[in-house]
Amino acid sequence: MKRKSLVPPAVAGLLVSALTACGGTDGSGSDGGAIVLGSTDRIEATKVAPAPLDPALAYDFASWSVLHNTFQTLMRLPRSGTEPIPDAAERCGFQDRQSEQYRCTLRSGLKFSNGHALTSEDVKFSLDRVLRINDPNGPKSLLSNVDKVETPSAREVVIHLKDPDATFPSKLTTPAAAILDGEVYKDDALRKGFDMVGSGPYSAKTEVRGNLLTKVVFTKNPHYKGDTEPKTDKIEMRFFDNASAMEKALAKGDLDVVHRGFSPDQIDKLNKGQVKGVRLFESSGQGIRYLVFNTADPSVKNKAIRQAMAHLVDRQALVRDVYKRTAEPLYSLIPTSVSSHINSFHNEYGDPDPAAARRVLRSAGVTTPVKLTLTYTTDHYGPETATEFKELQRQLNASGLFSIKIKGVPWAKFRPSIIKRQYPAYGMGWLPDFPDPDNYIAPFLTKDNFLNSPYRNSTIQDELIPKTRQETQRTLADKDFQSIQNSVANDVPYLPLWQENTYVAARKDIIGAEYAYDSSTNLQLFELARGAND
């Protein structure tokens, strides 16, 4: 790209307050009046993921929580609601009825946090870069429909799509479409480490121990021109090794907000007012948990084996005994809080039924007990994951139809092993990239799915998904999404387990915590502020 001249130096269902506890100590425990957030998320540079905060690679909740507040995108989600609104763009829209040509006009005078001018060339550079780098662990699938990007002027961007896609504006709200400085980032290589240069509401300075991110200090970006106004000049995000230490810091006043990582028992404690001076905000979550089957693996290739497991899993027991009712049973890849949801798995399999599972296996000539290993990650979805898989093991083995072993693997090894299809069956979680039923379907069922699943259903891939993307009025796609959910329930390439509720704990002088997440569960640091104590 051309070298540029140097320039001198926001929920469809809002979080609801579940409880206000009185008393306790005041103060944030941070210098300069910064609001301090706590999380047990782990952001680590590894051999296979050397650039965890590079938008061409980052594709997980923890990394995106940092990127959403540091980088700017053409569009963003509003404080509440699901319809994208302009951010770096002044205006955007499709230029044709087929939803294949998307044109944006940038705001005037955009700059990166380092003072460099931001032009349409940077937008083109950034979108092209994700596709050029094509990292198998990254968010490339969100942009795979981009055919070419044109820049008629310094403020005009025209994005041509290969196929119609009414969801494309929503995809532009994600860090996959983060706008990068073409003078800082290479066009064909990841930027290793944890340094970032963006044009978002905050600039970020990171602190690292070894290869592990321990703290991010967000400072209001004076160059930011966008749709929102940060309500706090400085915010710190601290990462804790365990939830117990994080709870102590919150109770002491060294933390102001906890947005991630509390156990069900800790949430129950907060609900009962046992952590003084803290309010708990709760909403229906968008995140789901599920089992994935490598349908090419001999141990689960027979559909009857997967269907038998669907007959046996007791979701009610999982959410009651493991997650203490901080989650809800899930019977589809699309959660109940998203339009187009139907309880396809319950419609197909009903309540747990060992006799029905036995009939399915016997009819298919499958010898029992079926030997199978279920793999889970030990350090990504919380300490309850191990307990959850022990409960799944107990349920399946109690039927006498399965002989299940379970195996825990660190995330740094787990994620690349998935891409290599090394596990026949394993547990995963998903938080949406954008709030549309398409984002619970396409990432799992297209040929370039993010899990590299071998499952193929030509009707879903070639007919139904393209058809749903042609509907600008999204409710008109409901019937096709329901057909997809029924097909998934029949073939069982995935087995939905539960959907999470979302919780944010905040000390009583913090305002804006009810807006901490947008409708896609993206962290909105710019909504947080310190107010008067009650």
Side-chain angles (χ1 to χ4, degrees):
M1 65 179 293
K2 296 179 181 178
R3 183 168 181 81
K4 305 186 299 292
S5 59
L6 299 183
V7 180
V11 177
L14 297 180
L15 293 165
V16 178
S17 180
L19 175 98
T20 301
C22 300
T25 60
D26 296 326
S28 69
S30 172
D31 294 335
I35 291 176
V36 186
L37 285 82
S39 170
T40 56
D41 282 330
R42 187 180 182 91
I43 301 178
E44 183 179 10
T46 65
K47 184 176 180 180
V48 296
L53 296 180
D54 188 315
L57 172 64
Y59 201 16
D60 63 274
F61 177 87
S63 297
W64 276 25
S65 293
V66 176
L67 301 186
H68 261 292
N69 295 281
T70 309
F71 290 92
Q72 202 171 14
T73 47
L74 290 170
M75 305 290 284
R76 78 173 187 89
L77 293 173
R79 169 187 270 194
S80 60
T82 61
E83 190 69 27
I85 57 177
D87 189 18
E90 185 177 90
R91 59 184 178 272
C92 287
F94 282 108
Q95 301 300 298
D96 61 336
R97 293 182 179 180
Q98 289 74 37
S99 300
E100 290 182 313
Q101 186 184 113
Y102 198 71
R103 179 182 291 268
C104 291
T105 300
L106 299 179
R107 295 177 188 268
S108 177
L110 291 174
K111 299 178 185 177
F112 292 100
S113 59
N114 59 9
H116 292 183
L118 188 163
T119 73
S120 60
E121 290 183 357
D122 293 295
V123 177
K124 173 178 171 56
F125 166 84
S126 303
L127 298 177
D128 289 346
R129 179 177 181 269
V130 172
L131 297 173
R132 184 179 296 110
I133 290 177
N134 196 30
D135 193 283
N137 294 301
K140 61 176 183 176
S141 61
L142 288 170
L143 301 178
S144 61
N145 194 30
V146 173
D147 184 23
K148 63 178 179 179
V149 182
E150 296 177 327
T151 55
S153 71
R155 290 180 56 200
E156 296 292 324
V157 180
V158 182
I159 305 170
H160 297 269
L161 304 181
K162 300 172 185 176
D163 300 295
D165 186 3
T167 72
F168 188 69
S170 295
K171 293 174 181 176
L172 290 179
T173 70
T174 72
I179 304 172
L180 310 183
D181 185 347
E183 297 182 47
V184 173
Y185 289 81
K186 296 181 179 179
D187 65 352
D188 59 355
L190 296 169
R191 192 175 194 216
K192 296 180 180 180
F194 298 90
D195 292 335
M196 297 166 285
V197 177
S199 61
Y202 290 99
S203 59
K205 181 179 179 181
T206 58
E207 294 185 14
V208 180
R209 182 179 66 243
N211 293 321
L212 193 66
L213 187 64
T214 58
K215 183 165 76 172
V216 184
V217 179
F218 297 91
T219 304
K220 187 175 179 179
N221 176 12
H223 297 298
Y224 171 70
K225 289 186 177 182
D227 181 69
T228 188
E229 177 64 31
K231 297 175 175 59
T232 300
D233 290 341
K234 186 177 181 181
I235 295 179
E236 294 181 11
M237 184 184 293
R238 299 179 184 174
F239 300 93
F240 289 78
D241 291 333
N242 58 74
S244 177
M246 187 167 64
E247 181 188 341
K248 291 178 181 178
L250 179 65
K252 187 179 177 182
D254 291 336
L255 281 180
D256 296 302
V257 181
V258 169
H259 70 286
R260 184 82 166 167
F262 273 155
S263 69
D265 287 337
Q266 289 173 309
I267 291 171
D268 184 58
K269 183 187 293 187
L270 288 163
N271 241 336
K272 292 177 179 177
Q274 296 176 7
V275 181
K276 293 183 178 180
V278 174
R279 295 180 296 170
L280 184 68
F281 297 87
E282 177 183 359
S283 73
S284 297
Q286 307 294 311
I288 65 172
R289 296 287 182 86
Y290 53 95
L291 290 179
V292 183
F293 296 104
N294 176 3
T295 55
D297 190 282
S299 59
V300 292
K301 187 174 184 178
N302 191 325
K303 181 169 66 173
I305 294 173
R306 309 192 301 269
Q307 291 175 329
M309 293 176 70
H311 272 298
L312 294 172
V313 168
D314 188 344
R315 297 167 177 83
Q316 296 285 351
L318 286 177
V319 301
R320 180 189 66 237
D321 300 335
V322 179
Y323 290 99
K324 314 296 183 183
R325 305 187 193 281
T326 60
E328 301 292 336
L330 180 63
Y331 298 94
S332 172
L333 286 176
I334 301 176
T336 58
S337 52
V338 176
S339 64
S340 303
H341 164 88
I342 58 172
N343 287 324
S344 53
F345 273 79
H346 194 272
N347 295 341
E348 183 77 20
Y349 302 101
D351 294 328
D353 188 344
R358 186 178 298 277
R359 287 194 297 271
V360 168
L361 293 173
R362 182 183 296 131
S363 177
V366 176
T367 302
T368 58
V370 177
K371 295 182 178 180
L372 180 64
T373 298
L374 301 183
T375 306
Y376 64 93
T377 180
T378 57
D379 56 355
H380 194 71
Y381 296 121
E384 295 76 27
T385 306
T387 305
E388 175 185 356
F389 273 73
K390 288 178 182 177
E391 172 62 16
L392 288 171
Q393 180 188 39
R394 185 197 67 77
Q395 292 177 12
L396 294 169
N397 288 351
S399 70
L401 302 174
F402 286 86
S403 177
I404 299 292
K405 294 182 179 180
I406 57 176
K407 181 180 180 181
V409 178
W411 179 255
K413 179 181 178 182
F414 183 82
R415 183 69 178 97
S417 296
I418 289 171
I419 301 300
K420 298 176 182 177
R421 300 179 181 174
Q422 292 182 347
Y423 309 133
Y426 56 93
M428 281 290 290
W430 177 255
L431 282 163
D433 305 313
F434 54 90
D436 187 280
D438 177 271
N439 198 234
Y440 293 92
I441 296 298
F444 300 90
L445 299 173
T446 54
K447 184 177 181 180
D448 60 349
N449 68 85
F450 85 110
L451 294 169
N452 194 29
S453 167
Y455 173 73
R456 298 288 181 267
N457 183 309
S458 59
T459 300
I460 292 176
Q461 289 182 7
D462 302 334
E463 298 178 25
L464 294 178
I465 290 178
K467 188 178 177 183
T468 64
R469 288 178 170 176
Q470 294 178 29
E471 299 291 357
T472 55
Q473 296 183 37
R474 300 306 290 151
T475 56
L476 297 179
D478 285 353
K479 183 177 179 180
D480 291 320
F481 278 124
Q482 290 167 5
S483 295
I484 293 171
Q485 291 171 82
N486 287 332
S487 292
V488 171
N490 180 67
D491 290 345
V492 202
Y494 304 96
L495 182 57
L497 297 174
W498 54 273
Q499 67 180 77
E500 64 182 14
N501 293 329
T502 300
Y503 297 91
V504 174
R507 295 198 64 81
K508 63 179 183 178
D509 64 331
I510 298 299
I511 58 177
E514 65 269 35
Y515 300 111
Y517 291 123
D518 66 16
S519 57
S520 196
T521 324
N522 298 315
L523 187 62
Q524 304 182 124
L525 296 180
F526 47 82
E527 292 285 0
L528 300 176
R530 196 179 300 281
N533 289 325
D534 295 329

